[in-house]
Amino acid sequence: MGAFTVASDHPKQADLDRCVHCGLCLNACPTYRELGVEMDSPRGRIYQMVQVASDAARIGPSYIEHIELCLACRGCETACPSGVRYGRLVEAARAQIESAIRRPLAARLVRRFVFGRLLSSPRLLTAAGSAAYLYQVSGMQRALRALARFRLLGKLGDLEQLAPAAEPPFFFSQIGKVFPAEGERRHRVAFLAGCLANVCFARLNEATVRVLRKNGCEVTVPEGQTCCGALHVHSGLPEYARGLARRNIDAVLSGNYDAVITNAGGCGSTLKEYDELLEHDPAYARKARRFTSLMRDVNEFLAAIDLNREMGPVAATATYQDSCHLAHGQRVRAAPRKLLSEVPGLELREMPLSDICCGSAGIYNVLQNEMSQQLLGKKMESVNSTGASLIVTANPGCMLQLQAGARLHGQGQRVAHVIEVLDEAYSRAAGSPAAK
Ligand code: SF4
Ligand code: SF4
């Protein structure tokens, strides 16, 4: 057993038994659609997990390759009529792999640093963000991107396209603050600001606070909050994630909130599954269930309340790309579309296959860059077919991927989060200072 997994971190027989091998999930699976290989389909991956669970096969290079090529996008979960909990299965399979193999020293050190230190340290993230900002403004980024255009940087050029931009001042300075509701207070909410998002999506986090305040929310950004642990869970490191989950639970449950809000679809599905992550922890199981019951994606929350409709026009044709973990992990599809339909001047055009993954999938686009690029190319064909000038989504990771897509294969589209579109509409409302 590795230090980052426990004995129960393996695919459960009851979950595996739910699959009746009908194949109705195959067409919903991006890797199967690309490769047409059964072992890279949900059914094929489950079959391999069953083989490992029954000791008919060992955890070897082929098994690891097929499990790692999965995006954990959970498109198969939506398609499956038998209710297979595929997300839970693949996360457990990855944890089992982690406990069974020993990675090369360099990989172990990088993983320990990124997952064990960097993502949960405001100090290290601030230092990394400051260095990234220097790289952006010094002209180095522009020079490297120019070289990448002529394919002079090879794979590094592809990865550079995905690098998030640092956005000083970072949002860490807002943690611990309480923002009053505009007008009558109707809700008290806590906002979880993420980890990297404090550095790379600081403006999105600020917009989220503004939009919530416009909707009668007193917004607290609780002290003591940390990374949600989603990247850890997806990378087979659930014990790290459990440590982070306990910190977030303590940070939030010490307040008295109507809801706990995230603006990241990817984080939201892990945050909503803290009850399962900590089900065997006697000290936290009950608290985790309470935490889970309060968790809301910001789209879901706003679509369920009496929305403030004092908005000005955002004249654009937009298309919405589902965040996989919002659509398939949390089953939230209608809420972002409903919010966008409230924005005056905005025309929403659905793209084909909007709920097929764009290839972002956490850090998948870095680790499995070739497949990710293939999926992004297909995604941008769908986007381009709509003629939309604005691509809207609901997860920061998808935004980065789609920004790269717009640069590499697009037609000059802008990429925005649903909340940024609402924020723009509120700023243009009659009487708002920005509208004058
Ligand atoms: S995961 Fe679901 S849809 Fe796919 S083969 Fe199994 S039972 Fe059928
Ligand atoms: S999670 Fe996504 S990539 Fe993985 S098997 Fe399911 S549909 Fe395919």
Side-chain angles (χ1 to χ4, degrees):
M1 211 50 42
F4 314 115
T5 57
V6 295
S8 55
D9 289 326
H10 58 80
K12 303 288 173 298
Q13 197 57 46
D15 289 338
L16 292 170
D17 289 344
R18 279 196 182 191
C19 178
V20 296
H21 315 295
C22 64
L24 290 172
C25 54
L26 299 194
N27 212 30
C29 174
T31 56
Y32 181 76
R33 292 171 70 93
E34 285 303 307
L35 303 172
V37 172
E38 174 71 14
M39 290 298 129
D40 286 312
S41 77
R43 180 175 64 184
R45 291 188 176 111
I46 292 171
Y47 174 77
Q48 293 167 85
M49 290 178 207
V50 170
Q51 295 292 97
V52 166
S54 61
D55 288 330
R58 64 182 191 91
I59 295 178
S62 158
Y63 179 69
I64 295 171
E65 189 187 314
H66 293 302
I67 296 298
E68 289 191 342
L69 196 62
C70 169
L71 295 133
C73 67
R74 296 167 70 166
C76 48
E77 252 185 65
T78 299
C80 175
S82 302
V84 169
R85 303 277 313 273
Y86 183 85
R88 193 155 103 150
L89 281 172
V90 75
E91 286 165 5
R94 286 180 177 168
Q96 190 181 29
I97 289 171
E98 280 311 303
S99 62
I101 64 165
R102 191 166 170 78
R103 291 183 186 273
L105 179 66
R108 286 206 308 277
L109 291 176
V110 170
R111 283 167 74 85
R112 259 174 208 261
F113 174 69
V114 172
F115 294 116
R117 300 280 314 278
L118 179 68
L119 295 175
S120 56
S121 165
R123 198 171 45 81
L124 290 174
L125 284 171
T126 300
S130 305
Y133 186 65
L134 208 64
Y135 163 70
Q136 287 160 218
V137 296
S138 65
M140 251 174 86
Q141 182 175 51
R142 206 147 22 104
L144 283 186
R145 285 199 172 164
L147 291 177
R149 258 200 297 281
F150 298 104
R151 309 296 309 163
L152 294 175
L153 294 180
K155 202 169 162 53
L156 189 66
D158 291 339
L159 295 178
E160 204 287 330
Q161 290 289 339
L162 301 168
E167 295 183 347
F170 302 145
F171 195 78
F172 284 123
S173 58
Q174 308 304 313
I175 292 180
K177 292 188 181 169
V178 180
F179 299 88
E182 281 192 22
E184 184 201 346
R185 185 181 82 183
R186 292 184 283 139
H187 313 276
R188 288 189 74 232
V189 303
F191 174 53
L192 294 181
C195 52
L196 277 171
N198 283 291
V199 170
C200 302
F201 288 91
R203 304 294 82 78
L204 168 62
N205 280 354
E206 288 167 4
T208 306
V209 171
R210 276 195 298 274
V211 169
L212 287 166
R213 294 178 66 199
K214 284 268 177 208
N215 279 281
C217 297
E218 177 188 282
V219 185
T220 302
V221 191
E223 195 76 67
Q225 64 174 278
T226 186
C227 168
C228 68
L231 292 177
H232 305 73
V233 169
H234 298 154
S235 303
L237 304 168
E239 271 299 276
Y240 270 139
R242 289 183 183 108
L244 299 170
R246 291 182 191 103
R247 284 167 61 183
N248 281 325
I249 290 170
D250 288 342
V252 161
L253 292 190
S254 53
N256 184 22
Y257 305 113
D258 305 324
V260 183
I261 307 285
T262 173
N263 60 18
C267 303
S269 66
T270 295
L271 289 160
K272 284 183 178 178
E273 288 168 1
Y274 275 4
D275 55 343
E276 293 183 11
L277 194 62
L278 293 170
E279 65 187 334
H280 300 301
D281 181 333
Y284 274 85
R286 196 178 55 79
K287 287 194 254 186
R289 286 196 294 276
R290 167 98 183 113
F291 178 95
T292 296
S293 73
L294 292 172
M295 259 330 293
R296 296 286 181 278
D297 177 82
V298 67
N299 291 280
E300 181 184 24
F301 177 81
L302 289 170
I305 64 174
D306 185 14
L307 190 75
N308 172 359
R309 292 184 171 78
E310 283 176 33
M311 302 178 196
V314 177
T317 306
T319 191
Y320 178 72
Q321 163 64 23
D322 285 285
S323 143
C324 294
H325 281 93
L326 190 59
H328 305 302
Q330 302 176 54
R331 307 292 161 107
V332 176
R333 287 162 178 261
R337 291 176 167 86
K338 179 177 167 201
L339 295 175
L340 292 172
S341 73
E342 299 282 357
V343 175
L346 194 80
E347 184 198 340
L348 189 60
R349 283 189 199 156
E350 286 290 342
M351 71 175 89
L353 304 172
S354 67
D355 63 349
I356 287 274
C357 184
C358 63
S360 166
I363 49 174
Y364 184 95
N365 50 5
V366 176
L367 301 176
Q368 302 286 347
N369 188 255
E370 202 180 322
M371 173 59 75
S372 168
Q373 289 298 320
Q374 250 172 268
L375 295 172
L376 182 58
K378 291 265 167 68
K379 179 56 62 185
M380 289 309 299
E381 283 173 21
S382 294
V383 168
N384 291 341
S385 74
T386 66
S389 60
L390 175 63
I391 312 170
V392 189
T393 188
N395 183 48
C398 309
M399 290 173 71
L400 291 177
Q401 178 83 346
L402 293 166
Q403 279 161 0
R407 269 197 304 276
L408 296 169
H409 315 284
Q411 301 166 340
Q413 295 97 336
R414 180 163 75 93
V415 178
H417 193 287
V418 179
I419 290 303
E420 291 176 321
V421 178
L422 287 180
D423 186 48
E424 212 171 311
Y426 286 129
S427 76
R428 291 180 182 178
S432 124
K436 287 175 187 160

